[in-house]
Amino acid sequence: MKHFIISFLWLLGAILTVSGADRYALTAERATRAYDSREWSSAAALYELMLDMRPDSSDIYARAIVANIQVPDTAATVDLMERAMSHGLGLADVLTEVRTQSFAIGRGDSYGDYLLQLRAAMPWMSRALDHELLEYYTFRNDGPMTVRYARIMLAGLPESAEYRAVLARGYLLSGDDRQAVATWQAMLQTDHDDYTALLNLGNYHAVMGDNTEAAEYLRRAQRLHPTPYVEATLRRLDMRR
């Protein structure tokens, strides 16, 4: 630790002898080197210096957040997000960068943990963060958590075809085919021409060997949006009957 402090103070002194754009460029170079070397404490401190000079840079906030997640320093990661938003940066924009960086260093799990930390610290942003959590768990193919957050989002927007479709996928990932089918059918009750529901029901019944029912759904889907895939599937179904 003592060696780190001495090295950082020497580096800080070297940076402070430079001014203006050259100082920012030098700091950015050092920060990138520390970040790429997984020297998280150094990277976090250097990105703070960069933010002092340019407090409205979403990519720098994201890298600072990721570095602090790895330290770990939960208070700093929350503070950085609040500061980013206070400088006019959108929550979703910064989170997109944080997600990209987290997966790039092989720590996608830490991004999900960060979202949960933000939700606890920023309850006024819970709706937006629940949406991000839904996207995260859907991407990770986590069936139970996808179902959980899809239900949360549907509680505020019960007729959303988007969230219903994600809910159905969550059920499938969880091995609950019956609930997935019921969700697609509910989507069709709201919109008889919901392409996603028709396609999924058609494919599901085809896999289950219900060729007649599968063909009915897929023909309706094909009339809405003709594709070579559905056309070929219908030909196979006709051959089976």
Side-chain angles (χ1 to χ4, degrees):
M1 183 64 179
K2 182 178 179 182
H3 175 71
F4 163 73
I5 294 174
I6 293 173
S7 298
F8 181 73
L9 289 175
W10 178 87
L11 177 60
L12 178 60
I15 290 172
L16 292 176
T17 62
V18 186
S19 62
D22 290 338
R23 178 186 297 180
Y24 185 86
L26 177 60
T27 308
E29 178 185 342
R30 302 292 188 186
T32 300
R33 187 177 303 169
Y35 188 94
D36 291 344
S37 300
R38 306 298 193 261
E39 297 171 3
W40 302 120
S41 294
S42 295
L46 289 163
Y47 284 127
E48 281 288 354
L49 293 177
M50 294 174 67
L51 289 171
D52 286 342
M53 290 180 270
R54 297 185 186 177
D56 59 352
S57 176
S58 62
D59 60 328
I60 301 306
Y61 277 108
R63 283 196 160 220
I65 287 169
V66 171
N68 277 288
I69 288 173
Q70 305 309 316
V71 169
D73 187 339
T74 301
T77 61
V78 174
D79 176 67
L80 282 160
M81 180 59 75
E82 291 177 339
R83 283 160 51 195
M85 294 173 66
S86 73
H87 283 93
L89 299 174
L91 175 73
D93 293 334
V94 179
L95 285 178
T96 296
E97 294 278 356
V98 174
R99 180 176 64 239
T100 300
Q101 293 293 334
S102 296
F103 279 95
I105 65 170
R107 288 302 313 276
D109 57 327
S110 68
Y111 177 67
D113 293 339
Y114 179 54
L115 291 175
L116 293 171
Q117 290 165 2
L118 282 182
R119 195 185 188 286
M122 303 167 62
W124 60 92
M125 295 297 297
S126 61
R127 182 72 178 173
L129 289 166
D130 285 340
H131 178 81
E132 294 293 333
L133 281 160
L134 176 58
E135 288 195 344
Y136 169 75
Y137 288 121
T138 301
F139 178 78
R140 298 302 292 262
N141 289 324
D142 186 326
M145 294 302 284
T146 297
V147 168
R148 176 181 176 179
Y149 281 95
R151 284 175 170 170
I152 289 173
M153 298 307 294
L154 282 166
L157 201 61
E159 299 300 318
S160 170
E162 175 190 355
Y163 293 138
R164 281 180 167 184
V166 176
L167 176 63
R169 179 181 174 185
Y171 282 131
L172 277 184
L173 291 170
S174 302
D176 194 341
D177 293 4
R178 183 180 63 81
Q179 286 284 13
V181 169
T183 302
W184 290 322
Q185 289 173 340
M187 291 168 67
L188 289 179
Q189 289 176 2
T190 302
D191 179 1
H192 296 296
D193 291 332
D194 189 301
Y195 180 78
T196 300
L198 290 169
L199 188 62
N200 280 295
L201 282 167
N203 286 330
Y204 173 79
H205 285 293
V207 170
M208 298 302 293
D210 303 328
N211 297 332
T212 300
E213 197 159 2
E216 178 185 345
Y217 285 118
L218 290 176
R219 283 198 182 91
R220 288 169 62 186
Q222 185 72 346
R223 284 196 293 269
L224 292 170
H225 298 292
T227 67
Y229 164 77
V230 174
E231 182 180 355
T233 303
L234 284 168
R235 282 201 298 268
R236 288 195 299 271
L237 291 172
D238 287 339
M239 291 175 63
R240 293 176 189 171
R241 291 189 295 167

